Amino acid sequence: MSTQMSREAETRAFIDKIESLSGQNLLACYQCGKCSAGCPMAKHMDIPPNQMIRYVQLGLKKDLLASESIWMCVSCLTCNSRCPKGVRIAEIIESLRQMHLRVRNDFFDVRKLPSDVLGDLPPIALIGGMRKFTS
Ligand code: SF4
Ligand code: SF4
C-alpha cells in the first residue's frame, strides 16, 4: 500500500514538474496523434511526440529521460501549430531535456570524442549538442 502511494506521489511530482517547466496542461492532450503525423523527425524517434505526452501523463520518467526522442526533436514547432488542443508539445520536450541536463547528464561526454573529431567540429556544434534549448 505504501509502495503504491509513493509511486503515485512520484508520478504526481514528475507531472507537476513538467507542467511547471513547460507551462502546459498535460491533461489537455486527448491523443489525436496530429503532432506525430506532422513531425518531420517522428520516423527517427523511439517514442513519437504524442506518445511522449502519454508517457508523461503516466509518469514514465525513466523511459522518457532515456529516450532518443528528446534529442531527435529539432524544435521546429510544427507539432505546436497542429495541436487542436493548443498543447505546446515542443515546450514539454524542452522540459524533459532540461530535467535531464539539470542532473548533469549531458547527452554525450565531450572527453570521449576522438581528437580528430574535436579538431574538426566548430565550438557551436559541441555546445549545441550538449545544451539544447527551444524556448
Ligand atoms: S518541435 Fe520536435 S516534436 Fe515537434 S514537430 Fe518539430 S521535431 Fe517534431
Ligand atoms: S496534437 Fe495535441 S491533442 Fe493531439 S496527440 Fe498531440 S498533443 Fe495530444
Side-chain angles (χ1 to χ4, degrees), residues 73-128:
C73 167
V74 294
S75 309
C76 67
L77 310 183
T78 304
C79 50
N80 289 6
S81 68
R82 289 175 60 93
C83 179
K85 297 301 293 286
V87 179
R88 298 186 63 82
I89 301 102
E91 273 81 342
I92 293 169
I93 298 172
E94 163 71 1
S95 304
L96 291 165
R97 286 195 293 265
Q98 284 179 359
M99 190 174 274
H100 191 284
L101 293 170
R102 281 179 185 184
V103 290
R104 305 190 63 80
N105 288 326
D106 281 332
F107 186 50
F108 62 84
D109 186 345
V110 178
R111 291 165 300 185
K112 291 185 180 158
L113 289 177
S115 54
D116 55 327
V117 172
L118 272 175
D120 285 347
L121 282 177
I124 192 65
L126 292 173
I127 294 163

Side-chain angles (χ1 to χ4, degrees), residues 29-35 50 53 83-85 87 89:
C29 169
Y30 65 149
Q31 287 296 307
C32 69
K34 280 176 76 81
C35 49
N50 70 305
I53 307 297
C83 179
K85 297 301 293 286
V87 179
I89 301 102

Side-chain angles (χ1 to χ4, degrees), residues 2-45:
S2 60
T3 309
Q4 178 65 21
M5 286 295 287
S6 69
R7 167 84 184 122
E8 280 170 19
E10 239 175 71
T11 298
R12 191 63 251 169
F14 173 58
I15 293 170
D16 287 349
K17 188 69 185 174
I18 294 296
E19 285 192 332
S20 141
L21 285 171
S22 66
Q24 303 305 299
N25 172 14
L26 287 161
L27 291 179
C29 169
Y30 65 149
Q31 287 296 307
C32 69
K34 280 176 76 81
C35 49
S36 296
C39 172
M41 295 303 287
K43 61 177 176 289
H44 304 293
M45 292 178 173

